[in-house]
Amino acid sequence: MHVSKKNIRNFSIIAHIDHGKSTLADRLIEKTGMMTQREMQEQVLDKMDLERERGITIKLKAVRLNYKSKNGEEYIFNLIDTPGHVDFNYEVSRSLAACEGAILVVDATQGVEAQTLANVYLAIEQDLEIFPVINKVDLPSARPEEVVQEIEDIIGIDASFAPFISAKEGLNIDKVLEGIVENIPAPKGDEEKPLKALIFDSYYDPYKGVTCYIRVFDGKIFPGMKIKMMSTGKEFEVIEVGINTSKQIPIDFLSAGEVGYVAASIKNVKEARVGDTITDAFNPTDKPLPGYKKVTPMVYCGIYPAEGEDFNSVRDALEKLQVNDASLVFEPETSQALGFGFRCGFLGLLHMEIIQERLEREFDLNIITTSPSVIYRVHKTDGEVIEIQNPSNLPKPSEIDYIEEPVVSASIMSPSEYVGAIMELCQNKRGIFINMEYLDAKRVNLKYELPLNEVIYDFFDALKSKTRGYASFDYELKGYNRSELVKLDILINGELVDAFSMIVHVDKAYERGRAIAEKLVDIIPRHQFAIPIQAAIGSKVIARETIRALRKDVLAKCYGGDITRKKKLLEKQKEGKKRMRQIGSVEVPQEAFLSVLKYDEKK
Amino acid sequence: MKELGVYIHIPFCLKKCNYCDFVSFSSNDKKISEYINYITKEIQIYRNTLNEDYIVNSIFIGGGTPSLIDSKHLKTIIDEINQSFKVDSEAEITIEANPGTLDNTKLAIYHEIGINRISIGAQSLNDDILKKLGRIHNSYDVLDAVELIRTNQFKNYNIDMMIGLPDQTIYNVLTDLENVIKLKPTHISLYSLIIEEGTLFFELEKHGQLNLPNEDEERIMYHKAIELLEKNGYKQYEISNFAKEGFECRHNLKYWTLMPYIGLGLNSHSYIENTRYSNYSNFDEYYKKIKENKLPVSSEEYIDDISRMTEYIILGIRLNKGINKKHFKENFGIDIEDYYKDAIIKNKQNGNIYEDEETIKLTKKGLDFSNIVELDFYI
C-alpha cells in the first residue's frame, strides 16, 4: 500500500469549462485500471446530478490511482478534483495546496480562455508545476500547434512537451500518464517530524461521522492516534485512515506526501473545516500550514416553504445539507407575505442557487426564495450599531444615523478588447477603479472596489454577457464603507410584500424599482381586476406599473361530451395555482420571487 | 328504463379546417365501409356490456363531416342501434352537415332513417373569412344548404357560427347573425375561436400572422350577439347555445346535466353507469380492441360522488338556468352554500356569479370568466 515518496504524484486537473477536464479524469481512472469499463460510469468524479448538468464540480474529491511506468517502477497518483467556481475559490486554493503539480487541459479548437488563465494563476500562486496537455485533437477544427504557441505566449510557460490527446477517444492517454511521472514533482516532507496534514475537503458520512480528505505534509497519521485541529484546538481520536480508490480502503497509516481520508468521530463538518491543519495532539507541530481562513457567508436570502409545504421538512433538509456544507448557515425568520421560513447565508450567488436546487431536487421540496441581501451595519442615532441582513429589520429612517455596506476587492481578468465594457459596468455598479494591469499584449487585470450588494444583484450575468464569457471574476471582502442606502419596497395591489423589499443605493432605487415592477407585470398573470405594482421608498412611490385586467377566461366547448379533456385542463390549471402565493387578492407565481434578481439582457 | 344518448363520430373530412384539432381524416369508400362495420360491432359490445335497460332518446352523428359519407352507411348504423336498443319514437336524431355536401338523395334517406335535426356548420357568412378558416364552402353554399333542407321538409335545424375569427369585425358578426336569423333556424350555436396546438392557426398565431380581434372586441362581439339573438327569440340556454322555445338540443344538454350517453367511433367519449370512457383515437388500436370483442377504450375513470358533484357544478354552471340548490341537495345530500362557501363568496365578490334562494348562476360578467368560476369550484 505504501510506496516511497519519490513514487507519489499529487496533482489536480485544471481547465476552462468544457475543455475536457472530467473526461480526462475518467480516462486516467480507466487506464490505470482502477475500475473496469463496466464499473466506470461517465465522469465518475462528478457525482451529483446537478454537477453533471451544470458541467461544474461543486464538491471536490480525491482519488488514488496505481500506475506502472515504462521505467518499470510503480507509482501512486493522487488526483484531486477542484470545484470550478469563484464562490468556491477558497476550496480550490486549498485543494491546489495539497498538490505538487497540475495538469492544464486546453481545448485544441478553442485555445486559451478566461478560466484557463484564472486557474493557471491560482496554481502558480500555490507554486505548482504546470503540465499542459492539448485536448480534443480529434476534432476537425483542432489547431494544436497554434494552441501550444498560445499557451507559451499568453501564459508564459513552456508547452513544447505538451501531449496532443483526445480524452474522449482515449488517444495518447499513456503520454499523459508518463508525463505525470516526468513533469510533476514528487512530494517532499519528513515522516519523522510531528504530524502536519491539510484538510482539503470534508463531508458527513452517517456511519463514520465526518470524513476528512487530507494531504499529509509531515509525520504520520494512524488509527488510535489523538489528533488536534489547529484552528479550533479541538481534539479527536482517529478511528480510521484510508485511501480512496473506487471505494474507501482502510490502511494502517498515512505518511508524509500521501493523500487519503481520516475518520475520527467528528460530529459536524464545522469541526473539520477545509484549510485547517491536523496535528498530533501530544506532539504538535509548531506552525499550522498557511492560508487557513474560516469561510463566512457573504450573501443572505430567505428560504420559505411554498404553499402546502411543511416548515419542518425544510428545516430538516437544511440541517442535512449543513452537515456536509460548513459554509451554509441558517436561522428561522418570518415574513408577512411568506409566513415561517429561514434566513440562510451562502458563499455567493451560485452557492445559493445550488442549495436551492438541492432542496428542490434531492429533498423534493417546494420552496420560495427572497431577494438576496448582504450584511449592513446600521449606526443608529442612539449610538447603537446593529447588523442586519434582512431588509425588513431596517430601523425607521428617523432612528438611523448612517449605514455602512460591505465592499469587495474585485479582480477581473479579461481580453483587453472588453476593458471599456467592463469599466462601464463597474461604473454602473458604483465601483471604484483601483488599477489596471496588462498581463500581456492581449490580457488585462482590472481591479475595482465594488459594493457587494451590487455584485450579488446581477453583476455576474452582466459581466458574462458583456464579455461574451471571456472575463473571469474573483472577489474578496475588503471591509465596510459608509453609503447612502435606502429600503426599496414593492407594493402589489397596494399591499407591501416584504419578500421583495431590498436595500439599495439611493441613486439606484428608481432604476431598480422600475425594473422589478416591469418584471412583475410580465410574471404575475392577469386577474379579473387591474393590479397596480408600485415601487416605493417609505411612503414615496417612485415607480408604478399596472397589470391590465383580464377580459375573458373561457374554456373550449366540451365537444362530443369529452368532459375528461376539460377536467384535465382544469387539473393542470389547478396545479399551476398551487405554485402561487396569495398576496391579498392577488396570486403571485413563485418564480416571481427569484426572477426579479435575474439579469435582464435588454438593459 | 333509463334514457340514453348515443354519439357517433364520423372522422372523415374532405379537408381539415385550419383551426380544427378534432380527429378527422380524408378517406375513400372502402375505408369508410370498414369503419362503419366496426361501429356496428361497437354498438353490439355496448349492448352486451351494459347492466341496465335503456331507451335511446337522442342520437347525434358528429364529425368530421358526417354528411360527406354515403347515406347507406348512416342507415347501417341507425339500423344497428334500433336492433340493439329500444329507441324512443320521439328521439332527437341529429346529423352534422357541412354546406356543399348535401343533396336531395341524402336528405331523403335521412328522413327515412329518422334523422329529424340537422346542424349546419356555417361558421361565418363572410367569404374571405371562410377562406381563411380553410372551409370548403362559401356563403352561398350555406344559403343553398338551408334551402335544400327546408324543401326536404326538415324543420328543426341548427346553424353553427363562430366569433373571434381572423379579420372579423363586430359589424361582420352582427350582419352575419342577422342573415342567419333570416334563415329561420330553430337553434344557433355561437362558438369563440380557440387556437389549439397542432393546428395551422396555432403556428400562424405564434408567428404573429393571424389578425385576430383583441379580447375587448371579441367580448363585444359575444355580448352584442347575445343581445341580437335574444331580441329575435333565440334564448341563450348555455354559454354558446341559443334556441327558440322548446328547441334546445336534447343530446348536448345531456353532457351538461350528467345524463348517460355512449360515444361510438374514434376518440368518442361515454359516460355511463358512473364511468367515463375515452375511445382510442387511431384506427388500428380501435379496431384491434373491437376484434377482441372489447370496448375500444384507451382510458376510463370511475366517477365517485365527489367527482360527480364537481362535474355537476362545472358543467351545470354553463347553463343559463344555473344550478338549482334544492336539486343539488337532493342529489348529493349536502348544502352547496356550505360546501363551496369560499368559491361562492369569492365569485360573488368578483361579480362572476349571482345567487338567490333557489339558484346559483353565471352573471353576464361571469360568462366571460366561466373558467375562473369552474376552477374555483373544481376540487
Side-chain angles (χ1 to χ4, degrees):
Chain A
M1 281 294 184
H2 301 278
V3 300
S4 149
K5 266 209 303 287
K6 75 174 177 46
N7 284 9
I8 296 177
R9 297 292 182 270
N10 300 319
F11 61 93
S12 288
I13 304 177
I14 55 179
H16 185 78
I17 191 160
D18 278 343
H19 279 198
K21 175 174 128 172
S22 303
T23 319
L24 177 59
D26 289 351
R27 287 300 156 270
L28 295 181
I29 291 168
E30 190 184 291
K31 287 270 174 175
T32 51
M34 196 185 81
M35 285 179 219
T36 63
Q37 197 88 24
R38 216 157 54 85
E39 283 174 322
M40 180 79 194
Q41 253 201 335
E42 270 243 62
Q43 303 192 352
V44 287
L45 283 177
D46 289 350
K47 281 204 189 94
M48 284 193 267
D49 285 350
L50 203 60
E51 295 179 88
R52 237 175 262 172
E53 269 166 43
R54 291 182 172 226
I56 53 165
T57 310
I58 299 161
K59 288 297 283 181
L60 42 101
K61 289 117 201 160
V63 66
R64 173 160 160 162
L65 313 171
N66 295 308
Y67 176 63
K68 186 163 181 182
S69 165
K70 289 192 180 126
N71 63 24
E73 291 197 43
E74 296 273 354
Y75 286 86
I76 284 175
F77 290 172
N78 289 306
L79 166 57
I80 296 169
D81 204 17
T82 58
H85 190 273
V86 56
D87 280 7
F88 306 100
N89 247 3
Y90 176 65
E91 270 104 330
V92 178
S93 81
R94 290 310 84 202
S95 56
L96 292 177
C99 303
E100 275 77 35
I103 301 178
L104 171 67
V105 182
V106 184
D107 185 319
T109 66
Q110 314 246 323
V112 173
E113 302 230 34
Q115 233 69 55
T116 316
L117 258 194
N119 282 312
V120 166
Y121 284 113
L122 274 175
I124 289 173
E125 232 172 81
Q126 300 295 331
D127 283 330
L128 300 195
E129 208 51 56
I130 310 286
F131 168 33
V133 303
I134 314 300
N135 191 21
K136 304 195 189 177
V137 296
D138 58 312
L139 296 181
S141 54
R143 40 181 188 91
E145 287 83 6
E146 282 174 47
V147 171
V148 165
Q149 197 58 46
E150 257 181 56
I151 296 176
E152 300 194 339
D153 291 349
I154 298 174
I155 304 176
I157 58 169
D158 181 13
S160 58
F161 59 97
F164 294 175
I165 69 162
S166 164
K168 196 165 144 248
E169 301 298 327
L171 176 71
N172 287 338
I173 301 303
D174 47 335
K175 289 192 181 159
V176 179
L177 290 164
E178 279 301 308
I180 294 169
V181 171
E182 285 159 25
N183 298 306
I184 292 175
K188 299 190 185 72
D190 189 344
E191 289 87 354
E192 305 307 320
K193 281 192 182 167
L195 173 67
K196 189 186 269 190
L198 171 73
I199 302 177
F200 61 84
D201 189 19
S202 64
Y203 70 92
Y204 182 78
D205 177 311
Y207 301 105
K208 293 178 188 165
V210 174
T211 300
C212 307
Y213 278 103
I214 60 163
R215 156 70 197 273
V216 183
F217 282 88
D218 283 324
K220 278 186 184 177
I221 185 166
F222 45 85
M225 183 178 184
K226 196 105 173 160
I227 54 166
K228 185 164 88 174
M229 302 295 168
M230 293 190 74
S231 72
T232 60
K234 286 218 168 134
E235 296 184 2
F236 301 95
E237 190 182 306
V238 176
I239 303 291
E240 185 179 310
V241 301
I243 54 170
N244 221 37
T245 62
S246 58
K247 53 181 184 290
Q248 290 191 337
I249 300 173
I251 55 173
D252 46 358
F253 65 89
L254 287 168
S255 69
E258 291 190 298
V259 170
Y261 69 88
V262 177
S265 303
I266 304 168
K267 294 277 183 294
N268 194 308
V269 279
K270 282 181 192 159
E271 291 166 335
R273 285 186 183 269
V274 169
D276 203 351
T277 303
I278 299 179
T279 192
D280 185 338
F282 297 118
N283 180 21
T285 179
D286 49 352
K287 226 169 54 201
L289 291 157
Y292 172 76
K293 62 180 182 191
K294 189 177 154 193
V295 283
T296 47
M298 299 261 251
V299 178
Y300 286 81
C301 82
I303 290 186
Y304 287 83
E307 203 78 48
E309 195 64 76
D310 184 27
F311 172 81
N312 288 318
S313 18
V314 176
R315 187 184 54 207
D316 290 349
L318 282 169
E319 273 169 4
K320 282 194 183 119
L321 287 176
Q322 197 182 41
V323 163
N324 249 328
D325 185 347
S327 44
L328 169 69
V329 298
F330 64 90
E331 59 182 42
E333 72 168 7
T334 50
S335 149
Q336 278 155 15
L338 303 175
F340 291 100
F342 300 92
R343 177 114 312 228
C344 304
F346 310 94
L347 294 174
L349 273 191
L350 180 76
H351 188 212
M352 177 174 108
E353 273 183 48
I354 286 166
I355 296 291
Q356 286 165 11
E357 286 204 38
R358 291 187 68 184
L359 287 171
E360 288 183 342
R361 288 191 196 191
E362 292 170 31
F363 296 92
D364 201 21
L365 294 171
N366 250 326
I367 54 163
I368 297 180
T369 23
T370 66
S371 317
S373 170
V374 299
I375 301 180
Y376 297 95
R377 268 188 209 149
V378 182
H379 295 256
K380 291 170 68 175
T381 43
D382 62 7
E384 193 192 350
V385 181
I386 55 170
E387 291 199 334
I388 67 155
Q389 347 108 345
N390 183 346
S392 302
N393 298 339
L394 195 70
K396 283 196 214 95
S398 60
E399 293 171 17
I400 300 172
D401 183 7
Y402 64 95
I403 307 176
E404 288 181 307
E405 65 176 334
V407 174
V408 297
S409 308
S411 125
I412 302 160
M413 243 184 279
S414 162
S416 46
E417 66 246 52
Y418 301 116
V419 165
I422 295 171
M423 289 182 125
E424 195 190 318
L425 174 66
C426 289
Q427 199 78 30
N428 207 294
K429 297 290 178 189
R430 302 190 281 128
I432 299 168
F433 175 79
I434 304 298
N435 71 27
M436 180 166 84
E437 209 181 315
Y438 269 87
L439 301 167
D440 57 63
K442 289 183 214 141
R443 307 192 70 88
V444 294
N445 189 9
L446 279 157
K447 292 221 186 290
Y448 265 89
E449 261 181 44
L450 285 163
L452 184 58
N453 87 350
E454 298 288 346
V455 174
I456 64 166
Y457 182 55
D458 61 6
F459 185 82
F460 227 39
D461 293 334
L463 182 68
K464 256 192 294 188
S465 134
K466 286 189 193 299
T467 64
R468 295 169 53 222
Y470 275 93
S472 74
F473 174 63
D474 189 10
Y475 63 86
E476 59 182 35
L477 191 64
K478 181 174 172 287
Y480 274 77
N481 278 359
R482 184 170 168 162
S483 182
E484 285 297 313
L485 297 163
V486 291
K487 179 162 156 259
L488 175 68
D489 292 321
I490 300 293
L491 290 83
I492 296 180
N493 207 21
E495 242 179 273
L496 193 154
V497 185
D498 58 359
F500 286 125
S501 294
M502 56 171 74
I503 294 172
V504 294
H505 191 265
V506 68
D507 295 346
K508 291 278 168 176
Y510 170 69
E511 183 195 317
R512 195 72 60 83
R514 206 190 47 197
I516 292 174
E518 280 171 5
K519 271 195 187 159
L520 290 177
V521 167
D522 285 343
I523 287 170
I524 297 175
R526 288 159 65 197
H527 286 52
Q528 272 188 265
F529 44 90
I531 304 167
I533 309 280
Q534 294 157 296
I537 300 171
S539 56
K540 193 174 145 220
V541 173
I542 56 168
R544 183 195 158 105
E545 296 282 333
T546 305
I547 301 174
R548 280 190 311 128
L550 187 65
R551 280 295 289 118
K552 115 185 220 219
D553 188 357
V554 184
L555 273 188
K557 57 174 175 166
C558 322
Y559 187 83
D562 185 357
I563 310 302
T564 311
R565 172 170 167 177
K566 181 193 183 75
K567 288 205 296 187
K568 273 186 191 148
L569 264 168
L570 287 170
E571 202 75 56
K572 213 170 114 191
Q573 293 180 356
K574 221 179 109 193
E575 274 310 303
K577 255 180 123 94
K578 268 195 203 151
R579 294 191 65 85
M580 301 271 196
R581 271 280 162 172
Q582 190 82 30
I583 290 174
S585 49
V586 180
E587 282 164 350
V588 180
Q590 306 197 12
E591 308 94 81
F593 295 93
L594 199 60
S595 66
V596 297
L597 323 169
K598 299 269 189 232
Y599 175 66
D600 191 348
E601 201 74 51
K602 285 177 291 192
K603 275 190 289 187
Chain B
M1 243 192 267
K2 281 197 172 170
E3 292 175 348
L4 180 69
V6 178
Y7 174 81
I8 299 137
H9 191 65
I10 305 297
F12 305 108
C13 283
L14 269 182
K15 174 188 170 295
K16 202 165 183 103
C17 299
N18 297 336
Y19 55 89
C20 174
D21 73 332
F22 295 146
V23 176
S24 73
F25 308 88
S26 61
S27 196
N28 56 46
D29 201 58
K30 188 167 161 260
K31 203 170 170 190
I32 294 171
S33 298
E34 187 186 20
Y35 180 73
I36 300 300
N37 188 30
Y38 278 98
I39 292 219
T40 56
K41 286 188 181 138
E42 194 185 359
I43 296 170
Q44 294 160 11
I45 298 173
Y46 265 110
R47 181 191 60 202
N48 298 331
T49 332
L50 295 180
N51 296 314
E52 296 180 53
D53 279 339
Y54 294 94
I55 176 162
V56 174
N57 72 340
S58 75
I59 298 174
F60 195 105
I61 308 166
T65 313
S67 56
L68 191 66
I69 67 172
D70 195 322
S71 310
K72 68 175 185 208
H73 296 310
L74 301 174
K75 185 172 184 325
T76 309
I77 294 171
I78 300 287
D79 285 351
E80 184 56 51
I81 295 175
N82 275 304
Q83 295 233 332
S84 295
F85 292 97
K86 189 171 163 40
V87 179
D88 191 333
S89 59
E90 301 284 298
E92 172 197 273
I93 305 179
T94 308
I95 186 166
E96 287 185 330
N98 277 345
T101 60
L102 289 172
D103 58 41
N104 285 322
T105 327
K106 279 181 184 169
L107 287 163
I109 297 179
Y110 291 176
H111 255 309
E112 188 196 315
I113 62 178
I115 290 174
N116 49 27
R117 185 172 181 273
I118 297 182
S119 174
I120 302 161
Q123 319 308 353
S124 165
L125 295 180
N126 179 305
D127 289 342
D128 292 333
I129 291 175
L130 286 170
K131 218 174 196 167
K132 204 146 237 175
L133 292 177
R135 303 289 294 181
I136 53 166
H137 65 264
N138 61 30
S139 54
Y140 289 99
D141 295 329
V142 177
L143 307 187
D144 286 349
V146 172
E147 184 62 29
L148 204 56
I149 285 167
R150 276 158 56 170
T151 52
N152 278 279
Q153 309 302 319
F154 284 95
K155 303 212 162 50
N156 188 5
Y157 53 93
N158 162 63
I159 296 179
D160 269 349
M161 297 294 287
M162 293 179 84
I163 58 168
L165 300 175
D167 301 331
Q168 197 178 34
T169 63
I170 297 164
Y171 177 77
N172 284 153
V173 170
L174 296 177
T175 40
D176 274 8
L177 286 177
E178 274 165 12
N179 286 320
V180 166
I181 290 164
K182 285 181 196 149
L183 298 175
K184 297 195 162 43
T186 49
H187 189 287
I188 295 170
S189 293
L190 186 70
Y191 293 111
S192 289
L193 174 70
I194 290 181
I195 308 284
E196 302 282 2
E197 224 174 313
T199 62
L200 178 68
F201 271 18
F202 184 84
E203 295 307 314
L204 289 174
E205 164 73 352
K206 206 165 71 185
H207 295 97
Q209 288 170 15
L210 216 48
N211 177 31
L212 294 173
N214 67 34
E215 277 179 357
D216 284 319
E217 289 169 336
E218 199 268 353
R219 283 295 96 182
I220 293 169
M221 290 174 182
Y222 180 63
H223 289 285
K224 291 251 182 206
I226 294 174
E227 229 172 82
L228 177 69
L229 291 172
E230 293 265 353
K231 207 172 73 192
N232 285 278
Y234 292 92
K235 210 169 165 320
Q236 183 177 28
Y237 67 99
E238 195 262 355
I239 290 181
S240 310
N241 286 285
F242 304 79
K244 292 273 187 189
E245 188 78 41
F247 285 96
E248 295 83 5
C249 175
R250 185 191 292 167
H251 185 83
N252 282 344
L253 274 170
K254 289 182 175 174
Y255 299 148
W256 301 310
T257 51
L258 304 187
M259 305 280 276
Y261 54 90
I262 57 173
L264 309 169
L266 276 198
N267 198 40
S268 291
H269 303 270
S270 309
Y271 175 54
I272 187 137
E273 294 173 7
N274 291 323
T275 311
R276 290 200 180 277
Y277 299 98
S278 300
N279 275 5
Y280 281 107
S281 50
N282 71 64
F283 289 104
D284 289 346
E285 283 174 297
Y286 173 76
Y287 291 167
K288 189 166 162 264
K289 283 283 173 191
I290 291 182
K291 268 187 229 156
E292 294 167 5
N293 220 12
K294 289 181 183 141
L295 287 179
V297 299
S298 57
S299 67
E300 58 180 86
E301 184 194 0
Y302 178 76
I303 305 301
D304 59 17
D305 286 350
I306 297 281
S307 307
R308 198 160 56 89
M309 191 165 74
T310 305
E311 290 186 353
Y312 183 88
I313 296 180
I314 62 170
L315 298 169
I317 199 78
R318 298 177 66 91
L319 297 173
N320 284 55
K321 68 177 164 95
I323 288 159
N324 184 294
K325 292 178 177 178
K326 213 175 99 200
H327 189 238
F328 184 88
K329 175 127 192 193
E330 281 163 12
N331 262 278
F332 304 105
I334 42 182
D335 285 315
I336 191 167
E337 295 102 320
D338 295 341
Y339 201 79
Y340 289 102
K341 197 170 164 215
D342 293 348
I344 292 173
I345 291 174
K346 183 190 150 193
N347 283 289
K348 257 163 76 176
Q349 266 170 7
N350 288 348
N352 293 337
I353 58 173
Y354 162 86
E355 186 192 19
D356 61 24
E357 289 294 303
E358 281 132 40
T359 53
I360 292 174
K361 53 188 174 191
L362 293 178
T363 58
K364 186 169 166 242
K365 183 180 177 191
L367 289 172
D368 298 339
F369 297 103
S370 58
N371 184 43
I372 289 179
V373 178
E374 288 167 18
L375 200 56
D376 285 332
F377 281 94
Y378 191 77
I379 304 172

